[in-house]
Amino acid sequence: MAEHNDEHRPRGTVVLIYIFLACFVIFTYLNWKQLSDVWTVG
Amino acid sequence: MNWKFRVCPTTGLKVHDSAETLIQVNAVTAIVFLLVGGALALLMVLTRWQVVHILPADYFYRLLTLHGIAMLVAWIIFFEMAVLYFASAVLLSHRLAVPWLAWTQYILMLVGAAMVTVMVLMGKADVMFTSYIPLQAHHMYYLGVILFAVGAILGCIVFFATVTSAKVEGAYEGSLSLVTYGAAAAAIIAILTLAHGAIALIPTWLWALGVIPMMDPEAYILMFWGFGHSSQQINLCAMIAIWYLLGTLTVGSKPISEKYCRTAFLFYILFVLIPSEHHLLVDPGLSAAHKVWNTGYFMHLAILASMMHAFSVPAYVEVALRKKGYTKGLFGWLKEAPWGNPAFSSLVFSVVGFGFLGGISGVVYGTEQINIISHNTLRIPGHFHATVVIGTTMAFMGVTYYVLPLIFKREVAFPTAARWQPYIYGTGMTIFSVAMMFVGGFGVPRRHWDITAADAVFQLNYGPVVNIGLAITAIGGILAAIGGLMYCLIAVATLLIGKKIPQEA
């Protein structure tokens, strides 16, 4: 990364990665929520 | 020996005539199977759309079997053979080693695929893609699969022989290029995968012949998925190698760190066979602890590799575009990207569809607990249509727009249609996959002709939301079929009427 100046840093990609992680969290939550609804404990 | 080469006027790559012919025949055969599989896909979606329900039950299962084989096996592996020859002989500007062996590969795979197709169409192999024991097909069906797999192994051997002779004869120095390295990772996984296939299918063939009296279903399913799922990891590696190639061809980008990318490919080789066992998560043969370790821990090492690539590819596209002066804000580079180039738009659909839809859903559905409620539902086909179709198929489609001028020496026909094709196909498949996962969330089963169970004692009613979801699934599928047909027509028209590109010998 050292040869890139600041203008060339992939800052947009970093934001896309955070959007990806947010989607990951939401999708995981929804699936575990559904599982907990149909497969109750106790 | 005098080897016959020509030099591509655009890329400057030396192309060996045998490599060129073999890439052409494998790629054309792949596209023929894509056309067949696509036509069958249309019949599938028009049957799963409960209001239309076009096929009777026996034809639905028969043609679904053939759809799986034509798309998941024949289209993709024939195209991968073309990719292996391209990534070795063409990218290394070297001769294709042992062309007769490469022709044997092609003939074996063609004969094998033809045998399987005929057996399925004759109604002698209504066993679905998985052919789980105790379902039994005609022995010629299994022999066809075995011949196809042996052919694919020969293709991998030709690839390694070509890379080795290129090294020995000084065609390249130092490390392999990243694309060839990725193709090598795909070929290594292919050999491991096909070994599993041999262990699963040779005894099954003997069982179908009556030589072996019985088969253990649990052992079969374990070995089958070492073959069936791992073969998708060959696609995965080939797809990612193509991502790097398309990044270079479309925006002139170079990987930010080759070591980083090569490490991710190494992770695939080391860990990618392990997740195959997620197909056995609802089977009683493995212990709960084994399943949890497998899908809760080891599987993530392979997923890590995918996430490394999924970060690397957009990052190096962004850096390349920023270096061209598109530095405005966070996403100015994205706005100025070559969206009219079908190879670039295919690349973006492939990366986003694979990562956001296929990747996230795969990790979640592959978790043991979630798998309990998702395993036999439409969520799973929704997931793998995102990975294999939006991901792999769109990457293959994208690279075709460069292979046509380079290998077939013709300009792409109907360029306006070609610009639209990835958008129509990608949008259709995105709607299709998301809608499938949505209705699967309501428990709609996969591989099922009639979800209302009309002739059963107990009738099922999933409610209007599911009916609307299935209609949207079908609409997405029809749109994708149109995009797929456009791709096939553009490719065929290019071969037949595309303007010839002058070459130098």
Side-chain angles (χ1 to χ4, degrees):
Chain A
M1 299 289 284
E3 71 271 24
H4 302 300
N5 64 33
D6 272 354
E7 279 197 326
H8 297 163
R9 284 188 184 279
R11 292 177 289 132
T13 300
V14 173
V15 175
L16 292 176
I17 298 299
Y18 283 120
I19 294 170
F20 176 83
L21 288 175
C23 293
F24 210 145
V25 169
I26 292 166
F27 193 77
T28 304
Y29 170 79
L30 289 174
N31 276 272
W32 279 93
K33 176 77 173 64
Q34 188 196 17
L35 179 65
S36 69
D37 289 342
V38 297
W39 189 8
T40 52
V41 178
Chain B
M1 294 285 286
N2 285 326
W3 312 107
K4 198 174 166 191
F5 287 92
R6 66 175 177 84
V7 178
C8 172
T10 311
T11 60
L13 291 166
K14 277 169 65 184
V15 184
H16 181 212
D17 62 345
S18 291
E20 182 174 273
T21 311
L22 279 152
I23 292 168
Q24 287 174 347
V25 293
N26 279 289
V28 168
T29 310
I31 291 171
V32 169
F33 276 103
L34 178 70
L35 194 60
V36 172
L40 296 172
L42 196 57
L43 292 173
M44 296 302 108
V45 293
L46 292 177
T47 304
R48 290 304 307 249
W49 190 356
Q50 201 68 34
V51 179
V52 181
H53 214 47
I54 194 168
L55 289 176
D58 52 350
Y59 273 90
F60 172 76
Y61 292 113
R62 190 166 300 161
L63 298 183
L64 182 56
T65 304
L66 192 55
H67 166 69
I69 291 164
M71 296 299 239
L72 212 51
V73 179
W75 142 248
I76 285 183
I77 297 184
F78 270 114
F79 202 92
E80 273 165 5
M81 291 299 117
V83 170
L84 287 183
Y85 299 151
F86 181 83
S88 54
V90 178
L91 290 185
L92 299 177
S93 289
H94 189 66
R95 67 184 168 84
L96 187 76
V98 276
W100 65 268
L101 197 61
W103 279 109
T104 312
Q105 162 267 310
Y106 176 72
I107 291 165
L108 280 178
M109 282 176 60
L110 190 64
V111 169
M115 283 168 67
V116 168
T117 304
V118 169
M119 284 298 115
V120 174
L121 288 176
M122 285 173 70
K124 294 183 182 297
D126 292 339
V127 292
M128 311 295 283
F129 171 70
T130 46
S131 56
Y132 284 155
I133 308 294
L135 292 177
Q136 190 183 66
H138 192 278
H139 61 84
M140 294 292 276
Y141 169 86
Y142 300 111
L143 183 61
V145 178
I146 292 165
L147 289 180
F148 188 91
V150 170
I153 290 178
L154 296 183
C156 296
I157 292 170
V158 172
F159 169 82
F160 286 117
T162 304
V163 171
T164 306
S165 75
K167 181 74 176 173
V168 170
E169 294 171 21
Y172 71 97
E173 291 179 357
S175 303
L176 286 171
S177 73
L178 186 61
V179 175
T180 311
Y181 186 89
I188 292 168
I189 294 170
I191 289 172
L192 295 171
T193 299
L194 295 166
H196 282 82
I199 296 168
L201 290 167
I202 291 174
T204 313
W205 174 50
L206 296 173
W207 172 62
L209 280 169
V211 177
I212 293 176
M214 60 174 288
M215 289 281 292
D216 182 337
E218 194 66 39
Y220 171 84
I221 193 173
L222 181 67
M223 283 301 139
F224 176 82
W225 283 116
F227 165 68
H229 193 86
S230 304
S231 62
Q232 306 320 308
Q233 316 304 340
I234 311 170
N235 308 340
L236 175 67
C237 264
M239 173 189 77
I240 288 171
I242 288 173
W243 283 358
Y244 287 112
L245 180 65
L246 287 177
T248 305
L249 294 172
T250 55
V251 297
S253 54
K254 288 180 182 173
I256 299 170
S257 166
E258 286 225 359
K259 271 187 187 170
Y260 172 90
C261 303
R262 286 169 197 269
T263 306
F265 276 121
L266 191 63
F267 274 27
Y268 277 145
I269 298 170
L270 294 174
F271 303 115
V272 88
L273 287 175
I274 294 170
S276 303
E277 281 191 23
H278 68 252
H279 289 274
L280 285 79
L281 282 174
V282 295
D283 275 41
L286 300 173
S287 72
H290 180 96
K291 292 172 186 173
V292 170
W293 269 97
N294 180 293
T295 60
Y297 297 94
F298 296 135
M299 189 171 86
H300 291 91
L301 295 168
I303 293 162
L304 177 65
S306 290
M307 294 179 82
M308 288 170 75
H309 287 300
F311 172 72
S312 170
V313 173
Y316 88 126
V317 167
E318 180 180 357
V319 169
L321 289 168
R322 283 181 179 276
K323 282 184 174 174
K324 288 183 178 178
Y326 306 129
T327 55
K328 192 177 174 188
L330 280 174
F331 296 112
W333 58 280
L334 209 50
K335 197 178 160 191
E336 301 297 334
W339 295 105
N341 179 345
F344 183 81
S345 51
S346 296
L347 169 67
V348 174
F349 266 108
S350 178
V351 174
V352 173
F354 180 84
F356 279 79
L357 297 179
I360 291 175
S361 62
V363 174
V364 174
Y365 298 158
T367 309
E368 197 215 359
Q369 295 86 337
I370 302 293
N371 197 266
I372 294 292
I373 56 168
S374 65
H375 191 89
N376 280 320
T377 71
L378 271 180
R379 290 181 186 190
I380 304 301
H383 149 72
F384 71 69
H385 278 84
T387 55
V388 180
V389 186
I390 307 179
T392 306
T393 294
M394 289 209 72
F396 288 3
M397 285 176 168
V399 82
T400 304
Y401 292 111
Y402 281 97
V403 168
L404 288 170
L406 174 60
I407 300 298
F408 291 88
K409 296 164 280 186
R410 288 177 186 270
E411 288 180 11
V412 173
F414 310 129
T416 307
R419 273 197 290 278
W420 281 99
Q421 184 271 326
Y423 293 99
I424 294 170
Y425 189 76
T427 304
M429 279 313 303
T430 302
I431 294 169
F432 178 82
S433 294
V434 171
M436 252 188 172
M437 285 190 261
F438 177 75
V439 293
F442 289 87
V444 176
R446 63 186 292 200
R447 295 171 172 163
H448 210 293
W449 170 68
D450 176 24
I451 61 164
T452 63
D455 297 328
V457 177
F458 298 103
Q459 309 251 310
L460 295 169
N461 186 4
Y462 288 96
V465 174
V466 163
N467 289 329
I468 293 168
L470 287 171
I472 294 170
T473 305
I475 290 165
I478 292 166
L479 195 59
I482 293 168
L485 184 63
M486 284 172 73
Y487 167 79
C488 294
L489 290 178
I490 290 164
V492 172
T494 301
L495 300 186
L496 298 178
I497 58 168
K499 190 179 168 190
K500 285 187 178 172
I501 300 171
Q503 306 290 315
E504 51 183 291

